[in-house]
Amino acid sequence: MTGQLPPRDFDSLRAAIVEMRATLPKRLMQVASYALERPDDMAFGTTASIAQAAEVQPSTLVRFAQHFGFDGFSGLQQLFRERLKERNGSYEDRLRHLESGGTAETEGVAILNGFLAAGHDSLSTLANTIDADALERAITILARAQTIYLVARRRSFPIVTYMAYAFGKLKVPCRVVSTSIGNEDDLLAQATAADAAFAVSFSPYAAESAAQAQALSERGVAVVGLTDSALSPLAASTAVWFELVEADHAGFRSLSASMAFAMALTVGVAERRRQA
Amino acid sequence: MTGQLPPRDFDSLRAAIVEMRATLPKRLMQVASYALERPDDMAFGTTASIAQAAEVQPSTLVRFAQHFGFDGFSGLQQLFRERLKERNGSYEDRLRHLESGGTAETEGVAILNGFLAAGHDSLSTLANTIDADALERAITILARAQTIYLVARRRSFPIVTYMAYAFGKLKVPCRVVSTSIGNEDDLLAQATAADAAFAVSFSPYAAESAAQAQALSERGVAVVGLTDSALSPLAASTAVWFELVEADHAGFRSLSASMAFAMALTVGVAERRRQA
DNA sequence: CCAAAAATAGAATGAGCATTCCATGAGGAT
DNA sequence: ATCCTCATGGAATGCTCATTCTATTTTTGG
């Protein structure tokens, strides 16, 4: 490709990269990923700083640029700079475009916008209602635990699935109390007062989740709860619980705020354990 | 002014310039005018190029910067660069606002606010980048399917878990291609051209997801993809794919926007099927 | 399994950069 | 009028940058 004309703008470059995806050598691919992932940094950085961030050699950046027909890295970087400038200039344009486009909105986009609006609402509500003390206590409880038991069903299940994934990455021992073998009770029987649990249950409440939270609580295992109402059966048997109401769109709720909360709790716990 | 602290952001600088308007020497005034008039060029230019454009000496630019408390021109230029970045996404803006406003903020709340800001940002980005046509096509493909196969691993797994739950409620036949029995291939072997699949894969991409999406695609099953980069191995074997980049907080990403998108797609498909 | 080709890492290089320095010029006070 | 102060122009400087070069590793093709 070296002999050809270089892409004229950022979108062309993007297209060229996508097209060559299959044939691009390893390191050049690394640069390509970084370039598309963090275009702002590409615009401002130097070969040295970008190379370090992308974990390649500075010379690789030059080879990458030449691979796409540029003289050197500088020519490539110009594309990223112009992109930033243009984004700025046409900012109002884009807003207007969104507004006008809003009239000819397809049904799919209308639904998506509904969920996006609901997501914003949920996140804002959570920001305003969060109890800082409760959050600290919850982090303390979970950070102290030997093993964290994660209890959830149905709609709440994805939340603990994600937490389990993140905890795993962070080397925090946890177990999802799940049911494909049907040995949940055996699993829970292993929990001791040195452990802790995190239980999630949204309306309509799954009876098992509440029952398991209660069982754990009675055996001296501290339970942190996440639910959507003070009347939730979960609230009764938790040491700390949080109320989180996801805004709904047309009767359906997404998990936008719950996921943000779950990640905050997960990272908070890992951070606390790291400090200790 | 030379001894004082430099302005922290572009607006502060602007205010400082306006305030000193009367007492600023002639050449420094010239620089000030140029800086406010063409901030983009200030962000990208070199002392030489800017000096020429503003019709002053390079050293005047340095003196100008020092006059406002910076070490040199580079520190001043940083303000103009950050201004350009922030215009694009208000994420960092908001984070800094949260930082400055939250005086007695506990660590847990700080982390949560980070994820909330990231969530808002992700949702906004999704709203701005969604391709309405692609969404309609995806809904059409999935609505026509006899059975929808859901492919995802690791971080993406909670998304399809939730979709499976919601599809179940909505009486749309679907199957999560998951692995506790290890019969994934047998499961996929049942898929025909009358079916369709939805595959999710975020970096770092799980090889199995991409492979399964490709296998399905090769057998005539239309695949709708959700990923975070045009370079994702998933993009190669999909009939329609969406790029969704979750903003991160301290290197961790939540699934706020992904969940909103998943629900929009789910409800959109159910709605389309109801109409047909 | 080997040879040829391509890709890569890392040091070397030269150009261009921000910055400093100093001589000169302008303006105001005594 | 003469000094003093501060702004200015422009050359000098040292440093960082993008780029090139070469030895080595990895990949490709017979």
Side-chain angles (χ1 to χ4, degrees):
Chain A
M1 171 136 193
T2 313
Q4 302 191 13
L5 286 178
R8 276 186 345 284
D9 55 34
F10 181 76
D11 285 336
S12 313
L13 174 67
R14 183 194 196 85
I17 290 175
V18 170
E19 197 187 340
M20 301 181 77
R21 175 176 28 158
T23 63
L24 223 49
K26 188 173 153 203
R27 286 292 121 93
L28 298 191
M29 194 64 198
Q30 227 170 298
V31 174
S33 304
Y34 184 86
L36 295 188
E37 212 167 294
R38 314 188 54 163
D40 287 8
D41 295 329
M42 285 288 288
F44 292 115
T46 66
T47 45
S49 66
I50 295 170
Q52 192 176 13
E55 297 179 328
V56 297
Q57 292 289 327
S59 55
T60 307
L61 295 177
V62 177
R63 272 187 294 115
F64 178 83
Q66 290 170 342
H67 198 86
F68 284 91
F70 297 95
D71 268 6
F73 176 74
S74 305
L76 173 73
Q77 192 176 40
Q78 200 54 38
L79 254 57
F80 288 85
R81 298 191 161 184
E82 267 153 27
R83 166 180 164 277
L84 264 193
K85 282 195 206 176
E86 280 164 22
R87 275 237 184 153
N88 257 349
S90 60
Y91 181 57
E92 292 183 7
D93 273 347
R94 262 180 297 144
L95 272 190
R96 206 172 314 115
H97 178 258
L98 280 177
E99 278 166 20
S100 65
T103 52
E105 189 173 64
T106 63
E107 191 188 7
V109 171
I111 295 173
L112 178 61
N113 282 335
F115 280 109
L116 291 175
H120 279 296
D121 281 353
S122 302
L123 291 170
S124 302
T125 304
L126 177 53
N128 291 329
T129 59
I130 191 70
D131 178 341
D133 281 349
L135 186 55
E136 289 307 308
R137 273 182 287 140
I139 289 175
T140 303
I141 289 172
L142 296 179
R144 276 199 201 127
Q146 238 160 51
T147 298
I148 298 172
Y149 288 82
L150 299 170
V151 178
R153 294 291 129 74
R154 309 187 210 167
R155 195 156 76 81
S156 315
F157 187 65
I159 298 169
V160 299
T161 310
Y162 193 38
M163 289 178 77
Y165 170 78
F167 272 138
K169 285 268 177 201
L170 292 163
K171 311 262 190 267
V172 176
C174 74
R175 288 175 156 185
V176 176
V177 179
S178 170
T179 182
S180 52
I181 321 183
N183 65 340
E184 298 181 38
D185 292 343
D186 301 340
L187 195 61
L188 290 174
Q190 297 172 30
T192 73
D195 299 320
F198 178 67
V200 196
S201 186
F202 295 132
S203 171
Y205 309 107
E208 304 100 312
S209 294
Q212 291 176 345
Q214 194 182 346
L216 284 163
S217 177
E218 280 166 5
R219 301 205 8 253
V221 181
V223 179
V224 175
L226 177 64
T227 187
D228 58 0
S229 150
L231 300 176
S232 160
L234 199 58
S237 48
T238 56
V240 192
W241 62 272
F242 299 90
E243 184 174 341
L244 191 165
V245 183
E246 291 273 359
D248 73 295
H249 170 67
F252 299 96
R253 294 168 204 279
S254 87
L255 291 175
S256 298
S258 307
M259 281 294 171
F261 179 83
M263 274 312 282
L265 192 57
T266 303
V267 172
V269 167
E271 182 65 14
R272 180 73 60 85
R273 284 171 63 104
R274 204 180 56 75
Q275 287 166 3
Chain B
M1 172 136 195
T2 313
Q4 300 192 13
L5 287 177
R8 275 186 345 283
D9 54 35
F10 181 75
D11 287 335
S12 312
L13 174 67
R14 186 194 195 86
I17 289 175
V18 170
E19 197 188 338
M20 300 180 77
R21 164 179 34 147
T23 64
L24 223 49
K26 186 173 154 201
R27 286 293 124 94
L28 297 194
M29 196 61 212
Q30 224 171 303
V31 174
S33 304
Y34 184 85
L36 296 186
E37 213 165 291
R38 315 189 53 166
D40 286 8
D41 295 329
M42 285 288 287
F44 292 117
T46 67
T47 45
S49 66
I50 296 170
Q52 191 176 14
E55 298 180 330
V56 297
Q57 291 290 325
S59 55
T60 306
L61 293 177
V62 177
R63 273 186 291 115
F64 178 83
Q66 289 170 341
H67 198 84
F68 285 91
F70 297 95
D71 269 7
F73 176 74
S74 304
L76 172 73
Q77 192 176 41
Q78 201 54 37
L79 255 56
F80 287 84
R81 297 189 162 185
E82 266 153 28
R83 166 179 162 278
L84 265 193
K85 281 197 205 175
E86 282 166 19
R87 277 251 183 134
N88 275 339
S90 53
Y91 175 48
E92 291 184 6
D93 248 352
R94 259 175 278 146
L95 265 192
R96 200 175 318 107
H97 182 258
L98 283 174
E99 276 165 21
S100 61
T103 50
E105 192 173 61
T106 64
E107 190 189 5
V109 171
I111 295 172
L112 178 60
N113 280 336
F115 281 111
L116 292 176
H120 277 295
D121 213 42
S122 303
L123 292 171
S124 303
T125 304
L126 176 54
N128 289 329
T129 58
I130 192 70
D131 178 341
D133 281 348
L135 187 55
E136 289 306 309
R137 272 181 288 140
I139 290 175
T140 303
I141 289 171
L142 296 180
R144 275 199 200 127
Q146 238 161 49
T147 297
I148 298 172
Y149 288 82
L150 300 170
V151 178
R153 293 291 130 72
R154 310 188 209 166
R155 194 155 78 80
S156 315
F157 187 65
I159 299 169
V160 298
T161 311
Y162 194 38
M163 289 178 78
Y165 169 79
F167 273 139
K169 285 272 180 197
L170 292 161
K171 311 264 191 265
V172 175
C174 75
R175 286 175 159 187
V176 176
V177 179
S178 170
T179 180
S180 50
I181 319 182
N183 66 338
E184 299 180 36
D185 292 342
D186 301 341
L187 195 60
L188 290 175
Q190 297 172 33
T192 73
D195 298 321
F198 178 66
V200 194
S201 186
F202 295 131
S203 172
Y205 311 107
E208 304 99 314
S209 295
Q212 291 176 347
Q214 194 185 345
L216 284 164
S217 176
E218 280 165 5
R219 301 206 5 255
V221 181
V223 179
V224 175
L226 176 64
T227 188
D228 58 0
S229 156
L231 298 174
S232 163
L234 199 59
S237 49
T238 55
V240 192
W241 62 272
F242 300 90
E243 183 174 342
L244 191 165
V245 182
E246 292 274 357
D248 74 296
H249 170 64
F252 299 95
R253 295 169 202 279
S254 86
L255 291 175
S256 299
S258 308
M259 281 294 172
F261 178 84
M263 275 312 281
L265 192 57
T266 304
V267 172
V269 168
E271 183 66 15
R272 179 73 61 85
R273 284 170 65 104
R274 206 182 53 76
Q275 288 166 3

